[in-house]
Structure formats: C-alpha cells, structure tokens
Amino acid sequence: MTMTKIDSAFVKAQNEKEAAFLQRDFDALGEKLSRDGIDIEALTKAASDFQIAVPSWGTGTGGTRFARFPGIGEPRNIFEKLEDCAVINELSGCTDSVSPHFPWDKVDDFTELKQRSDSYGLKWVSANSNTFQDQPGQVASFKYGSLSNTEKASRDAAIQHNIDCIQWGEQLGTKSLTIWVGDGSNHPGQQHFQRAFERYLDSAAEIYKALPADWEMHLEHKMFEPAFYSTIIQDWGSNILAAMQLGPKCKSLVDLGHHAPNTNIEMIVARLIQFKKLGGFHFNDSKYGDDDLDSGSIQPYRQFLIFNELVDAAYRKEPEFDPAYMLDQSHNVTDPIESLVNSAIEVQRSYIKALLVNREALYGYQDANDAMMASTELKKGFNTDVSPILAMARYRKGAAISPIPTYRASNYRKNVDKVRPRDPKATGSGII
Ligand code: AOS
Ligand code: ZN
Ligand code: ZN
C-alpha cells in the first residue's frame, strides 16, 4: 500500500468537482483527433506511461550567487526532500523517481531511505557526484579542477568520490552515474587544453572501470560556469568524443541550459541518437544561459522540437535508444513543489504533442522538399491543446486534475512549516 503525503481522498474530492467538465473537453478533443485518425486513448496511455525524474536538490528554494530567499517549510534533509517528491508525484502522476546528489544528500542509513522511498512508490535514478566544491576538511582541493586537476591527489579524490557515488547509488537501486564537473579555466593560457582533457579522460576511465555491468555513466557538457573562459566538456563535441573513447556504457547528457543562445539543441539530440550516445536530459528553460527556469516557460517550441526527435527515434525503433528524463531547475521565487509539478507536466505536454505529428506524412514532405507542409505538420502538433489528455491521464491514476489549486487547497506547505523550523543560519541550498 503506497503512503501518500496528501490524502488521496482529498485529491479525489477536488477532482470530482471538475471531472464532468474534463470529460466533456476530453470527448471534444477525442472527436477532433479521430478525424485525423488519431486515437485519444492511445495518447492518454502514452501520457500515463510518461515519467520524468525530479532532482532531490530542486525541492529546496534556489538562489543566485547574490542572494537566496528561503521559503517556508523547506526540506532540511533527504527524507524531507523525499516527502516533497512524493507530493509532486501524487499531484502530477508523472514523476515516480528521484535523482540523488552526493554529498548534498547526506545518508546515514541507505536501507532506511530505500524503505521510505518504496513506501511512497518512488524509485531512485541517476546518482549525481559533486566535485565542483570542497567539502569541510577536504585536503586535496578542487579549486583548480577535479578529474582534470594538475595535482594527482585532487584527481584521485574526485575519482574516489565518483566510485563512492556508484556504491551509494547501488544501495538505492539507481542504474547510472551522472558526472558534471566545474573543471575549466578563467584566463587564456591558464590551462593546456589537450593535457587537461587527457587528464580528464584518464580519470573518467578509472570511474568507468568501476561501473557495474548494468550501469551507464552520463557526462554533462556545459559551455561556461563556474569556469568562464574554458570548460573541460564545453559542448556536445567534447562530450561525444569522451563518451566514444570511454566506451559503450558512457553516454552524453543534454542539459537544455548548457548551450550558447540559439544553439540548435534538437539537432544535437538527433546526432547523439544516431551514434547511440544519448544518455539523458536535464530539462529546464532559459533565455540567456543556464538560467534554470521552469521547463517550457520560455521556449516551449524548442522543447517540442526536441521531443519531435525523440518520438521520431522511438517511431523508427532506433536501437539502444532509452534516454533518461530528468528536471534540473532552480526555483528562486516560486514554491519548488509547484514549479516541479508544472514543469514535469510541460515536458509531458511536449511529448504528447510530438506524438500528434504524422511521421509518414512528414517523411513524404521531407522527401518532396516541401518545406511549408513539413513545418505545418509540426505546427499542427504543437498548436493542438492536449491539456485534456494530460488531465485525464492524471485523473485516471488518482493524481490531480488541477495540480496547483489542489496543492494550495491542501495547505501542505503551511503544514510542513510547522514541523520544519527554518534554520536561521541557512544560506544557499547548493543550487547550481
Ligand atoms: C550544473 O550546471 C548542472 O546543470 C548540474 O547538472 C546540476 O545542476 C548539478 O549537478 C546540481 O549540482
Ligand atoms: Zn544539469
Ligand atoms: Zn546547469
């Protein structure tokens, strides 16, 4: 029996107020789609099956390097973060897994943590290592890099931490390790590009050797920050080179915010798919660069075009295609639970819209070089409001038809505020 943080009878009662209207909207959309030969029930099943992971660190209020404005009832440890993740899944119905981050998530007893997540019906995916900051008492510093540091002691410490993360992840049942490092330089000439990359690859090879047989290792590229002149895995080029050199269990991870403005990310996705190197995603949105804004809040068409590639790969039954979906956002002015619920649904929305594209028709337009009809076919999917499908998928599994109003009516945040006193000394929650 799954434990819930928001009483399921309460969610049901909220849903019943809207169920009749939802049914009418759903039927109307179903009738419209059927004219194009599209079965709304198949789409509703696809929406129901779609799941995206929540990052444990996303449940705390974010901040910038200038300031952080903590909210009320913020989770203070991994057990409380897990409670919030349970709420997100109960409302959205599409976030049944959590990605841990070490050592931000301090775990004394992995068995107890696993039991707790099991009780909420949540799984653990993708262990994230952290070698972009020094921990208290750390001797070999990461100031000048971790896996690519010129000092062997620092490289060894970074390698060991990643191997520890694999071991911790195994206790929680995760099957991949995500590596994002802050290694890079701030001054031209500071770093020898080739030697630094060689050191990175040698270190990463040590981690690769420690991967269990059924695990993958995902490398995350990022063009800037915290290093502002050069970054060791600055783009998908360095990323795929590293992944190819390291071996088949190493793949690239695409964080939407980690590219130069206007980069054609959907095309990067297509290339990674073609060479069996698409490991997964960190979804978020941005206007400038790694702003970590809510998914789909700025460029929903870009997100749709990425899903167009993903749906296309699945349609073509591309071998070894199984990317991991996860959110990676920073919530500075909203309640993180609300942002994560909405964002998960926005990603799910892009997926369902991409399913509306008639693949065979699109291939025909492409072969005939009919640019207008090809782009119109995509826009047809993007412009269709699939909200009733998403809401029906939620309703049928006992999640909320209207997640945000239901969440607010539950008073969850106010209630946890009573049992989670704010640390008066608390500053950043470690959001990057
Ligand atoms: C950093 O910019 C990356 O997006 C990381 O994926 C992530 O935010 C980090 O690992 C959280 O520490
Ligand atoms: Zn990320
Ligand atoms: Zn980032």
Side-chain angles (χ1 to χ4, degrees):
M1 176 77 188
T2 308
M3 261 169 38
T4 61
K5 294 305 295 179
I6 295 184
D7 186 5
S8 38
F10 175 80
V11 175
K12 192 171 187 315
Q14 293 291 118
N15 280 351
E16 289 316 321
K17 295 182 200 164
E18 299 185 83
F21 288 125
L22 170 61
Q23 189 65 54
R24 277 157 63 177
D25 293 346
F26 184 80
D27 290 343
L29 179 59
E31 199 270 324
K32 183 172 182 301
L33 291 174
S34 71
R35 275 179 255 146
D36 277 335
I38 297 172
D39 174 14
I40 195 168
E41 286 299 338
L43 292 173
T44 310
K45 173 159 192 327
S48 188
D49 291 346
F50 181 84
Q51 297 291 325
I52 181 166
V54 169
S56 67
W57 63 94
T59 53
T61 304
T64 65
R65 66 184 192 273
F66 303 104
R68 187 179 95 88
F69 300 94
I72 65 162
E74 285 195 283
R76 297 161 301 170
N77 54 56
I78 185 58
F79 285 93
E80 292 180 354
K81 290 177 191 175
L82 196 60
E83 291 176 359
D84 291 2
C85 290
V87 170
I88 294 163
N89 190 41
E90 287 160 28
L91 295 165
S92 73
C94 65
T95 58
D96 68 0
S97 57
V98 183
S99 185
H101 198 292
F102 302 115
W104 285 348
D105 295 335
K106 292 204 187 340
V107 185
D108 297 325
D109 185 341
F110 281 94
T111 311
E112 186 190 1
L113 184 60
K114 179 79 169 63
Q115 279 168 357
R116 189 72 63 87
S117 52
D118 286 348
S119 72
Y120 294 135
L122 295 174
K123 297 183 296 246
W124 295 95
V125 291
S126 287
N128 295 264
S129 60
N130 176 346
T131 61
F132 47 83
Q133 64 185 157
D134 288 344
Q135 301 304 323
Q138 185 173 326
V139 181
S141 174
F142 295 144
K143 178 173 178 180
Y144 296 111
S146 56
L147 297 176
S148 75
N149 199 302
T150 52
E151 296 292 332
K152 183 170 183 308
S154 296
R155 296 200 299 278
D156 286 347
I159 294 166
Q160 188 55 51
H161 170 66
N162 276 282
I163 293 173
D164 290 344
C165 285
I166 294 172
Q167 201 248 316
W168 294 326
E170 274 194 291
Q171 297 183 60
L172 294 175
T174 76
K175 294 286 175 207
S176 63
L177 171 73
T178 297
I179 305 179
W180 171 72
V181 295
D183 296 32
S185 71
N186 281 290
H187 294 268
Q190 179 188 333
Q191 212 169 54
H192 190 286
F193 292 146
Q194 181 172 332
R195 288 179 185 147
F197 197 30
E198 284 168 356
R199 289 192 295 269
Y200 173 92
L201 290 170
D202 286 347
S203 300
E206 293 300 313
I207 303 167
Y208 188 92
K209 272 194 247 163
L211 282 179
D214 57 347
W215 272 52
E216 284 187 359
M217 173 167 145
H218 296 165
L219 307 180
E220 185 175 354
H221 58 272
K222 178 173 180 178
M223 67 178 297
F224 74 105
E225 198 198 27
F228 286 105
Y229 169 64
S230 72
T231 293
I232 193 79
I233 304 282
Q234 89 282 20
D235 62 11
W236 77 280
S238 294
N239 197 337
I240 198 169
L241 286 171
M244 286 173 128
Q245 169 142 335
L246 287 165
K249 290 195 291 191
C250 185
K251 295 185 174 177
S252 305
L253 184 138
V254 178
D255 181 312
L256 270 62
H258 290 188
H259 309 83
N262 304 324
T263 296
N264 188 335
I265 299 176
E266 59 271 25
M267 196 168 166
I268 293 173
V269 169
R271 290 285 190 267
L272 292 174
I273 290 170
Q274 183 173 351
F275 290 90
K276 304 179 182 20
K277 284 297 183 189
L278 181 65
F281 287 90
H282 281 179
F283 283 100
N284 53 56
D285 212 339
S286 58
K287 181 95 180 134
Y288 304 103
D290 211 31
D291 311 319
D292 283 343
L293 300 175
D294 287 11
S295 296
S297 64
I298 309 285
Q299 301 188 69
Y301 193 49
R302 180 173 76 173
Q303 192 174 273
F304 165 84
L305 291 174
I306 289 169
F307 269 95
N308 179 51
E309 297 304 324
L310 297 170
V311 166
D312 184 77
Y315 181 78
R316 289 184 289 104
K317 300 195 168 43
E318 186 72 29
E320 292 175 52
F321 171 74
D322 186 21
Y325 299 136
M326 185 174 129
L327 297 167
D328 180 12
Q329 311 180 154
S330 178
H331 317 105
N332 301 336
V333 296
T334 53
D335 180 329
I337 289 180
E338 294 190 2
S339 272
L340 287 163
V341 165
N342 256 4
S343 299
I345 293 169
E346 287 310 300
V347 176
Q348 183 191 36
R349 183 188 305 280
S350 295
Y351 169 54
I352 300 302
K353 286 184 178 202
L355 285 174
L356 293 176
V357 173
N358 184 325
R359 296 285 141 200
E360 294 303 328
L362 182 62
Y363 299 152
Y365 301 137
Q366 289 170 344
D367 288 345
N369 298 302
D370 193 337
M372 179 55 68
M373 286 307 292
S375 62
T376 302
E377 182 60 37
L378 293 187
K379 273 293 176 73
K380 191 185 74 187
F382 179 69
N383 287 334
T384 303
D385 182 4
V386 297
S387 300
I389 297 173
L390 309 183
M392 187 58 86
R394 288 195 296 276
Y395 176 53
R396 288 181 182 172
K397 59 168 72 168
I401 292 177
S402 295
I404 305 299
T406 301
Y407 171 67
R408 292 190 175 190
S410 78
N411 281 324
Y412 175 78
R413 188 63 78 185
K414 284 188 196 118
N415 291 338
V416 289
D417 187 38
K418 292 177 203 142
V419 291
R420 298 178 183 175
R422 205 184 288 184
D423 175 358
K425 294 195 298 297
T427 53
S429 67
I431 301 294
I432 301 291

